[in-house]
Amino acid sequence: MKIVRVQDIIGTEREVSDKQWTSRRLLLKKDGMGFSFHETIIKAGSEHTFWYKHHLEAVYCVAGNGRIKDLATGEVHEITDGTLYALDNHDRHTLYGGTEDMRLICAFNPPVTGREIHDEDGAYLPDTSED
């Protein structure tokens, strides 16, 4: 059994951030669960384009608001507390922070290692390591 408290992640190598977002990686590949699990804060008014070509992601909003735009279709969907979106087709998308910070709970498959950075397309490269 694993017990992870987000307050124990803050300030460690499992917390990654820049001026517009913070990601707290509660479970990573090395935890052996077959997926990774994150708390991500998207700052109000920010804009992020992502394309997880090598990962599937499910995201559940537990606080705040924003929007997501499917870049293939142009469709825009509101995100509020209680909304889940699943990027089940490696969907290229733009995420917009709303009038207040969004607190998102995210699961990635395959799991991320915690060492990834977004490439020029907004993707994480596939992990080929054995650990």
Side-chain angles (χ1 to χ4, degrees):
M1 179 182 295
K2 297 179 185 311
I3 306 295
V4 181
R5 291 181 172 82
V6 73
Q7 64 264 29
D8 297 333
I9 300 287
I10 295 170
T12 73
E13 73 278 352
R14 286 188 179 225
E15 181 181 52
V16 179
S17 63
D18 74 9
K19 293 177 184 175
Q20 297 192 50
W21 58 268
T22 298
S23 178
R24 298 174 180 135
R25 283 82 187 268
L26 293 110
L27 293 173
L28 293 169
K29 180 180 179 182
K30 67 183 174 184
D31 294 308
M33 295 292 296
F35 61 91
S36 57
F37 197 76
H38 314 233
E39 175 188 75
T40 300
I41 308 299
I42 299 293
K43 296 292 185 182
S46 64
E47 181 178 324
H48 315 267
T49 298
F50 300 117
W51 185 16
Y52 295 119
K53 298 183 248 182
H54 311 288
H55 297 83
L56 298 175
E57 183 188 24
V59 179
Y60 184 66
C61 179
V62 297
N65 61 67
R67 294 175 293 128
I68 187 169
K69 180 177 184 178
D70 181 329
L71 294 178
T73 67
E75 289 180 284
V76 176
H77 304 276
E78 296 297 317
I79 301 171
T80 58
D81 181 11
T83 303
L84 178 135
Y85 65 87
L87 303 170
D88 58 341
N89 290 305
H90 305 283
D91 309 277
R92 190 164 183 262
H93 62 285
T94 299
L95 189 59
Y96 301 94
T99 58
E100 49 188 83
D101 291 354
M102 272 192 296
R103 183 170 166 240
L104 306 172
I105 305 302
C106 315
F108 279 89
N109 184 17
V112 301
T113 65
R115 298 182 301 267
E116 292 84 1
I117 56 169
H118 292 103
D119 69 10
E120 63 278 354
D121 287 330
Y124 291 145
L125 295 177
D127 175 44
T128 57
S129 68
E130 295 297 318
D131 62 0

